[in-house]
Amino acid sequence: MITKIEPKDIPGRACRYNHQVMQEVEEFTKSGWDACEVNIRKYKTSHSAFAAYKQAIVRLNASVIVFERSGRLFLVRKE
């Protein structure tokens, strides 16, 4: 037997960061900027932030490159 519930009622990892990451990637693609720096304070490491943004870019099929330098994360528009 199944019971309908709302996605927000599912226990475990909250998807707010994943959703926020995808929104930020979309915002960057619409901005017209060539590059930007991402605030990664909410992540434990710059590598975990890199992985989240890389996954969002792949899911959105965005024309964006993500990379990290000296513990900082950057998005750059592909030509």
Side-chain angles (χ1 to χ4, degrees):
M1 177 154 103
I2 61 173
T3 305
K4 181 180 176 183
I5 65 169
E6 294 297 318
K8 64 179 175 60
D9 295 330
I10 298 172
R13 182 177 177 184
C15 63
R16 68 174 195 246
Y17 285 159
N18 295 341
H19 182 65
Q20 182 181 4
V21 168
M22 291 182 77
Q23 284 180 333
E24 289 176 359
V25 171
E26 287 179 330
E27 181 182 340
F28 173 68
T29 58
K30 293 176 183 176
S31 72
W33 299 349
D34 291 329
C36 73
E37 182 174 358
V38 178
N39 182 344
I40 58 171
R41 281 184 264 157
K42 64 186 172 209
Y43 293 94
K44 290 182 181 180
T45 66
S46 61
H47 185 71
S48 62
F50 170 83
Y53 279 84
K54 182 69 175 176
Q55 184 178 34
I57 289 167
V58 168
R59 284 183 178 171
L60 293 169
N61 196 24
S63 184
V64 176
I65 299 170
V66 61
F67 61 92
E68 56 182 311
R69 298 283 191 276
S70 303
R72 297 166 61 190
L73 191 72
F74 302 94
L75 300 177
V76 177
R77 186 178 305 279
K78 285 183 186 176
E79 292 298 324

